[in-house]
């Protein structure tokens, strides 16, 4: 309560420096008031630890003091959210379940600059402890890393902030900067069985048009389409149309006139349609063997 109400540093120090205060650094706030968004209109999603409360209420000085007093940064909530996940959640101003119909562009107009600064502050402290790489790859109970959570329901500003962090600068020439983006994990996962959806898949699944239309992301999608996706789409489209025409031709034909030419045509339609069906079935079975049934269903449904 002292942290959320932003009491003076001396008041917070008085709490923490006591014997009970040091124990409180590891105590979870798991009551219904903190866990049930209906009770507080979604306004108390500050995590379950004092350190999380300090980060989510934009108090870097208090955050640093709690660290010096013995608080640890690699804590996770009952939902599996780390400090980085919580800051992504804070980047969108608190809305209850009654507000889910609001458009993303409207939500993204909310000021979240402090969240970006606080994220950088937490990142700096985590790098000092050499735990940032582990925490930024940590997945919550929904299977989201901080970047994927930003793609699913974070603000546009926060997503682009995290997106820029995964790119490396190759060279600078005056106002021109060349950056390199590793697509593994962003576009397609190396190990789908363990990794879940890629960042692009999360953006599409959650209909984040505000982000998909953004410059860098839009260029990646265009490059992907021009490089190979258009050819794959055209090939699959032609195969589908051909399969449909075969089925229509077979359905429209009858066995009343048992001419040899007609029987050859009917058998050919049946054989080709069966081969196309077996091809499609084999592709899906191969994906199930590679990914596992749960992940296959997660990707497709």
């Amino acid at each position: 309560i002292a942290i959320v109400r932003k009491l003076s540093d001396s008041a917070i120090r008085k709490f923490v420096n006591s014997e009970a205060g040091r124990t409180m650094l590891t105590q979870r706030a798991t009551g219904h008031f903190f866990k049930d968004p209906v009770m507080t209109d979604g306004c108390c999603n500050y995590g379950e630890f004092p350190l999380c409360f300090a980060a989510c209420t934009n108090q870097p000085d208090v955050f640093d003091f709690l660290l010096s007093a013995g608080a640890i940064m690699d804590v996770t909530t009952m939902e599996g959210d780390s400090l980085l996940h919580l800051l992504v959640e804070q980047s969108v101003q608190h809305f209850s379940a009654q507000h889910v119909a609001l458009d993303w562009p409207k939500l993204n107009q909310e000021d979240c600059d402090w969240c970006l600064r606080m994220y950088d502050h937490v990142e700096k402290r985590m790098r000092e402890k050499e735990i940032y790489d582990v925490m930024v790859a940590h997945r919550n109970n929904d299977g989201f890393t901080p970047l994927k959570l930003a793609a699913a329901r974070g603000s546009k500003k926060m997503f682009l902030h995290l997106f820029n962090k995964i790119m490396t600068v190759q060279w600078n020439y005056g106002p021109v900067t060349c950056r390199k983006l590793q697509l593994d994990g962003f576009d397609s996962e190396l190990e789908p069985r363990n990794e879940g959806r890629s960042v692009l898949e999360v953006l599409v699944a959650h209909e984040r048009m505000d982000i998909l239309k953004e410059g860098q992301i839009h260029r990646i999608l265009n490059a992907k389409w021009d490089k190979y996706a258009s050819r794959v789409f055209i090939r699959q489209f032609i195969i589908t149309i051909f399969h449909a025409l075969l089925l229509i031709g077979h359905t429209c034909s009858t066995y009343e006139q048992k001419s040899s030419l007609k029987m050859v045509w009917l058998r050919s339609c049946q054989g080709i349609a069966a081969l196309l069906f077996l091809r499609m079935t084999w592709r899906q079975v191969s994906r199930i063997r590679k990914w596992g049934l749960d992940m296959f269903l997660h990707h497709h449904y």
Side-chain angles (χ1 to χ4, degrees):
I1 293 176
I3 294 173
V4 173
R5 291 179 61 85
K6 298 186 177 181
L7 299 183
S8 63
D9 291 348
S10 58
I12 295 176
R13 290 176 183 274
K14 184 176 181 181
F15 279 115
V16 175
N17 290 333
S18 64
E19 183 177 349
R22 294 190 177 276
T23 304
M24 291 171 59
L25 291 177
T26 58
Q27 295 295 317
R28 293 177 179 267
T30 58
H32 289 296
F33 180 81
F34 300 99
K35 307 297 290 183
D36 189 353
V38 176
M39 296 188 66
T40 59
D41 202 25
C43 294
C44 286
N45 186 25
Y46 297 144
E48 301 170 358
F49 299 90
L51 190 67
C52 300
F53 276 56
C56 293
T57 54
N58 190 25
Q59 299 184 75
D61 293 338
V62 175
F63 183 88
D64 291 342
F65 168 69
L66 295 178
L67 280 180
S68 64
I72 56 177
M73 289 183 288
D74 56 350
V75 293
T76 56
T77 66
M78 300 295 289
E79 290 76 25
D81 291 331
S82 67
L83 267 169
L84 303 180
H85 288 94
L86 292 169
L87 287 171
V88 170
E89 293 277 12
Q90 296 302 314
S91 68
V92 177
Q93 297 296 324
H94 306 286
F95 293 95
S96 67
Q98 300 174 355
H99 297 86
V100 295
L102 290 176
D103 293 332
W104 277 111
K106 183 176 180 180
L107 296 181
N108 291 331
Q109 292 174 3
E110 301 292 339
D111 181 23
C112 63
D113 290 342
W114 72 266
C115 297
L116 310 186
R117 294 192 296 271
M118 194 67 208
Y119 187 99
D120 291 340
H121 185 80
V122 174
E123 177 187 350
K124 180 181 177 181
R125 295 292 177 258
M126 286 185 172
R127 289 192 182 279
E128 292 173 355
K129 300 289 186 180
E130 298 182 349
I131 62 172
Y132 177 74
D133 291 339
V134 175
M135 299 308 296
V136 78
H138 172 74
R139 286 173 167 75
N140 63 12
N141 294 352
D142 294 328
F144 290 145
T145 62
L147 179 60
K148 291 182 181 180
L149 183 63
R153 52 179 180 265
S155 72
K156 176 181 174 182
K157 282 185 178 181
M158 177 61 81
F159 176 83
L160 295 178
H161 188 64
L162 302 188
F163 175 70
N164 288 329
K165 288 179 180 293
I166 66 175
M167 293 192 294
T168 56
V169 176
Q170 295 297 101
W171 50 264
N172 292 295
Y173 184 76
V176 180
T177 300
C178 177
R179 295 182 177 181
K180 180 180 180 180
L181 173 66
Q182 293 288 346
L183 292 181
D184 293 332
F186 183 83
D187 182 16
S188 58
E189 299 290 357
L190 288 175
E191 299 178 3
R193 181 187 294 273
N194 300 320
E195 301 295 329
R197 289 179 173 177
S198 67
V199 176
L200 280 182
E201 287 177 309
V202 173
L203 287 171
V204 173
H206 289 80
E207 301 179 359
R208 296 300 305 271
M209 295 304 300
D210 58 315
I211 296 177
L212 290 171
K213 294 186 294 185
E214 186 61 28
Q216 293 285 358
I217 308 299
H218 191 63
R219 280 195 287 272
I220 291 173
L221 292 176
N222 284 339
K224 182 177 180 180
W225 175 261
D226 295 337
K227 189 72 174 179
Y228 65 90
S230 60
R231 294 194 296 271
V232 172
F233 172 79
I234 293 172
R235 183 176 67 246
Q236 293 299 113
F237 180 76
I238 292 174
I239 292 174
T240 302
I241 294 298
F242 182 63
H243 193 186
L245 290 176
L246 284 176
L247 294 178
I248 292 173
H250 181 270
T251 303
C252 293
S253 301
T254 64
Y255 289 91
E256 294 177 359
Q257 300 176 355
K258 298 183 178 180
S259 64
S260 59
L261 182 61
K262 195 167 189 177
M263 292 302 296
V264 170
W265 161 252
L266 291 173
R267 297 304 181 191
S268 299
C269 288
Q270 292 172 350
I272 296 174
L275 288 175
L276 290 173
F277 176 77
L278 290 174
R279 174 182 176 271
M280 181 182 65
T281 303
W282 175 251
R283 290 183 63 188
Q284 302 305 324
V285 170
S286 299
R287 290 176 179 175
I288 292 175
R289 291 177 60 187
K290 180 180 179 181
W291 296 350
L293 181 59
D294 291 342
M295 189 55 63
F296 175 82
L297 295 175
H298 181 66
H299 270 253
H300 290 78
Y301 304 103

